[in-house]
Amino acid sequence: MYQLSEVESNYRRLFKDFLRNSYINGLKLLLLHSPVHYAKALWLAFLAVIVVWTHIVIVNLTLEYIDQPTEIHMAPNLVHVSNSPFPAVGVCRSSMISKSLMHNYAAKIYLHQTQNGAAVGNGSRYSPLGLEVLADRLLLLSNFYLNADEEAPLDVAELGQLHWLLTSYYNGSEYSVHDILRELTPDCGDLVLRGIVYGTPVNTSQLFIKRATSSGVCCIFNYRRPSYSRYPGQRERDDAEMAALPQVVFESNSVLNGIQFVLQDTNQDDYTLSYFTNTAFRLLIFPQEDYASVQSNKHGEILVDHNTIVEIPVQPKFFDSSAAVRDVTPTVRRCYFPEEGRKLLNQSYYSLDECILLCRINSMLQHCGCASSPMAGTALNVSYCSLLDLPCLMKWRSVWYGFTEYPYVEQDEGAAEDASSMAQCPLCLPSCDGVNFEISSNVAPLRRSFNSSGYGHGLLKDLNNDRPLSIIKLFFKLRFAQSTQMDMVGDWIVLLNRFGGILSLMYGFSIISYIEIFYYLTGKWFVFYYRAWIKPRNDSNKIDSVTSSLHWNE
């Protein structure tokens, strides 16, 4: 057997052979003599830092590719805005319920209670209610609207009595909170007085339809969502009303090629409860087929103060994806194509807001066993909440308010125990194809009329300031919009090119260098070990021939 020093010498010769013959730049300098102390050690440390740093960069590039193998490129061509659908526009009063309509509705229930007092009172532990008390009790229905910041004390006995009265009024059948709230809100003709589309006066009562949202009943222009009333007959009438609406096509930009509407609020004595502390109109801007609520925060909600003129430029942004992106899973590309989204929701329409809406409904069913009618926004066959379920909805409503708070449950004393049951909606992703809108606004004061006869000309002619007025103007901001295309340009070939560029730039490294290192650590070392320890000692020349050559000499 060889002495240990001879074996170490041969290992050293093998290592020097690798340094001498390797194609990696910088290794041969370790064989040269240097009069500077520790020069080789410093050079070796520098090479080690470079090697480690470049491989960290390569690992990060690989992880980024695994996480997102696509790159987004802005299309150089511009798209005319006539190719973009104009969004739906919802106008909402600050007062959620009209006092006059509330008293009229309360009078109907009071009359029913009076005429059927003995019959409906059999077995009831509730005493009859007066007209004014009954009208005030109807304000409890406003708690079905979504408002995370408002806290109203609830009396279970009052809820039970109103629930019993409404059930009796509807002949023992299940009453619809959604449709009752719509009945307690004035018609759109009382809110939107006049309008101009493309410079031509229009009948606003033929353009706006009344629909419930998560925070109130609004009048909506350019709406194309099927009705979500609880009653099939009402849904048919609503859908027929929507189908009869004239199609408005926006062909260009500028204020003259947009829409203008005059809003008029109710008198102060008709106010009941307000969504905000002020009396401003709320303007919702969202896609035509979405539920009228800003959940994903990609569109806009604007407050329109009384006696103001608000210009709202709308700028569409188109986006689409190439066929190559379809080969990537939705969780990796982070979007759904239309057919994938429709299959996911098992319905004919998909959007991010729609997915969040259905997820919110499922969360309500999970927490309270029912869904709030105004917040459901769909005609799905689910169990809807009554007044008896209102305490549960109030307890959890901060969970369902807004997109930013949606995935979480506030850890208060009453909810901490069930907090873990609420989960985020990981399946809700944006669409791969479609259009988004950028919303901005310009506000100017509206000059008051000089005399009681009202304004003398223009859109406000003959109107006065007895009731608060506002004007909104919506139009496309620019004639052309930019298009964004997502394409698969970050495939494995591009990744390999990046690896090669980094390695060759730093120290001339290549795939051959990896094979070379593997060869020296396996085949070359194995042959050396076999020749040195397994073969007879008297044939020492064979060891020398192995360590001096790059070939295995099999």
Side-chain angles (χ1 to χ4, degrees):
M1 289 294 182
Y2 284 106
Q3 298 296 326
L4 184 60
S5 59
E6 294 181 90
V7 176
E8 292 178 352
S9 177
N10 288 327
Y11 275 120
R12 193 177 297 109
R13 293 175 61 188
L14 181 65
F15 180 66
K16 289 182 177 180
D17 186 37
F18 169 72
L19 298 179
R20 184 180 301 109
N21 295 284
S22 174
Y23 289 97
I24 303 175
N25 296 334
L27 295 184
K28 293 181 180 180
L29 297 179
L30 297 175
L31 298 175
L32 302 178
H33 174 73
S34 174
V36 182
H37 292 293
Y38 306 112
K40 293 183 180 180
L42 293 174
W43 181 250
L44 181 61
F46 175 74
L47 289 179
V49 170
I50 294 296
V51 170
V52 171
W53 179 76
T54 53
H55 282 79
I56 290 176
V57 172
I58 289 174
V59 170
N60 290 334
L61 288 174
T62 305
L63 294 177
E64 290 178 2
Y65 172 78
I66 294 175
D67 182 63
Q68 180 58 272
T70 59
E71 291 186 2
I72 298 177
H73 282 228
M74 301 297 293
N77 59 313
L78 298 177
V79 181
H80 199 278
V81 293
S82 62
N83 296 319
S84 170
F86 201 81
V89 181
V91 183
C92 316
R93 293 178 175 87
S94 61
S95 180
M96 292 185 252
I97 294 177
S98 168
K99 182 178 292 186
S100 58
L101 294 179
M102 180 182 67
H103 278 82
N104 293 338
Y105 187 77
K108 298 177 184 178
I109 301 178
Y110 178 77
L111 181 62
H112 172 80
Q113 176 186 242
T114 304
Q115 293 177 347
N116 303 274
V120 301
N122 290 334
S124 173
R125 64 181 183 274
Y126 302 115
S127 59
L129 295 177
L131 179 59
E132 292 299 325
V133 176
L134 182 56
D136 292 338
R137 195 70 57 85
L138 288 174
L139 292 176
L140 292 171
L141 295 173
S142 63
N143 290 294
F144 282 93
Y145 288 131
L146 187 58
N147 185 354
D149 300 324
E150 182 181 347
E151 293 294 339
L154 294 177
D155 189 312
V156 177
E158 292 181 356
L159 291 174
Q161 187 172 17
L162 184 58
H163 170 76
W164 172 74
L165 283 172
L166 291 176
T167 303
S168 174
Y169 180 72
Y170 288 96
N171 299 321
S173 61
E174 186 178 2
Y175 55 88
S176 171
V177 175
H178 171 277
D179 292 277
I180 294 175
L181 289 171
R182 280 185 60 179
E183 188 174 344
L184 299 181
T185 306
D187 293 331
C188 295
D190 297 329
L191 173 62
V192 187
L193 297 183
R194 297 177 181 175
I196 293 179
V197 177
Y198 278 155
T200 303
V202 294
N203 186 354
T204 55
S205 61
Q206 297 179 352
L207 294 179
F208 284 82
I209 54 179
K210 187 167 64 171
R211 292 291 187 270
T213 71
S214 61
S215 56
V217 176
C218 305
C219 295
I220 307 179
F221 166 75
N222 202 30
Y223 205 29
R224 296 300 165 187
R225 184 180 182 87
S227 172
Y228 33 94
S229 170
R230 290 284 308 281
Y231 302 128
Q234 185 64 45
R235 286 202 300 269
E236 292 180 3
R237 290 190 293 271
D238 289 344
D239 293 340
E241 178 188 21
M242 183 181 67
L245 294 176
Q247 294 283 351
V248 180
V249 180
F250 296 84
E251 300 176 353
S252 185
N253 63 313
S254 80
V255 177
L256 296 179
N257 292 314
I259 60 174
Q260 303 180 45
F261 296 117
V262 178
L263 309 180
Q264 188 171 48
D265 207 349
T266 57
N267 294 321
Q268 289 289 337
D269 54 5
D270 199 42
Y271 273 61
T272 53
L273 296 173
S274 297
Y275 184 70
F276 293 114
T277 56
N278 58 21
T279 58
F281 301 103
R282 286 186 301 110
L283 214 60
L284 304 176
I285 301 176
F286 55 95
Q288 297 176 358
E289 298 183 29
D290 268 344
Y291 173 62
S293 178
V294 182
Q295 300 176 74
S296 66
N297 209 24
K298 64 185 178 183
H299 303 299
E301 178 172 335
I302 299 174
L303 293 181
V304 178
D305 289 328
H306 292 165
N307 302 313
T308 58
I309 302 174
V310 181
E311 294 183 349
I312 305 175
V314 179
Q315 182 61 24
K317 282 193 172 183
F318 299 90
F319 59 95
D320 62 87
S321 303
S322 65
V325 180
R326 293 180 179 270
D327 298 331
V328 185
T329 60
T331 54
V332 175
R333 59 174 131 95
R334 295 193 180 96
C335 66
Y336 289 120
F337 284 94
E339 64 277 7
E340 295 173 334
R342 291 193 293 264
K343 183 178 180 181
L344 175 70
L345 301 184
N346 194 25
Q347 60 182 38
S348 59
Y349 174 72
Y350 176 85
S351 70
L352 176 60
D353 280 355
E354 187 75 11
C355 185
I356 295 174
L357 172 68
L358 297 182
C359 190
R360 186 174 66 182
I361 294 175
N362 291 332
S363 175
M364 292 179 185
L365 296 174
Q366 175 187 356
H367 285 77
C368 300
C370 59
S372 173
S373 294
M375 293 166 58
T378 178
L380 292 176
N381 187 20
V382 297
S383 177
Y384 291 96
C385 297
S386 66
L387 283 161
L388 300 180
D389 303 302
L390 195 53
C392 181
L393 293 176
M394 295 285 289
K395 173 184 176 182
W396 294 103
R397 64 179 177 178
S398 62
V399 179
W400 308 310
Y401 178 78
F403 182 76
T404 56
E405 295 178 359
Y406 176 71
Y408 309 101
V409 175
E410 293 185 359
Q411 298 286 342
D412 55 21
E413 295 179 0
E417 188 174 313
D418 297 327
S420 60
S421 62
M422 181 60 193
Q424 194 177 1
C425 301
L427 296 180
C428 293
L429 299 173
S431 301
C432 296
D433 298 326
V435 58
N436 283 334
F437 301 99
E438 286 187 354
I439 308 298
S440 57
S441 62
N442 303 311
V443 182
L446 176 64
R447 178 184 59 82
R448 299 179 63 88
S449 58
F450 291 110
N451 49 56
S452 59
S453 61
Y455 295 91
H457 60 278
L459 191 60
L460 299 176
K461 185 177 181 180
D462 299 330
L463 295 178
N464 55 50
N465 300 113
D466 293 341
R467 291 163 57 188
L469 294 173
S470 296
I471 298 178
I472 58 172
K473 301 180 180 182
L474 295 105
F475 53 93
F476 282 125
K477 183 178 181 180
L478 302 173
R479 183 171 299 180
F480 294 94
Q482 199 167 27
S483 177
T484 302
Q485 184 180 31
M486 185 167 64
D487 197 2
M488 274 288 300
V489 299
D491 55 10
W492 67 272
I493 297 179
V494 175
L495 187 67
L496 188 63
N497 290 336
R498 291 174 178 174
F499 292 170
I502 293 173
L503 294 174
S504 61
L505 177 64
M506 292 300 178
Y507 37 82
F509 209 82
S510 66
I511 295 179
I512 299 298
S513 301
Y514 281 114
I515 299 175
E516 186 179 77
I517 294 173
F518 178 76
Y519 163 66
Y520 269 92
L521 294 178
T522 56
K524 183 76 173 179
W525 179 89
F526 173 75
V527 172
F528 164 75
Y529 178 81
Y530 178 80
R531 301 284 187 178
W533 297 98
I534 307 302
K535 285 289 185 179
R537 180 182 175 184
N538 56 7
D539 196 5
S540 60
N541 292 331
K542 293 184 179 180
I543 298 296
D544 295 335
S545 64
V546 170
T547 58
S548 61
S549 174
L550 288 177
H551 302 283
W552 291 9
N553 290 332
E554 296 86 354

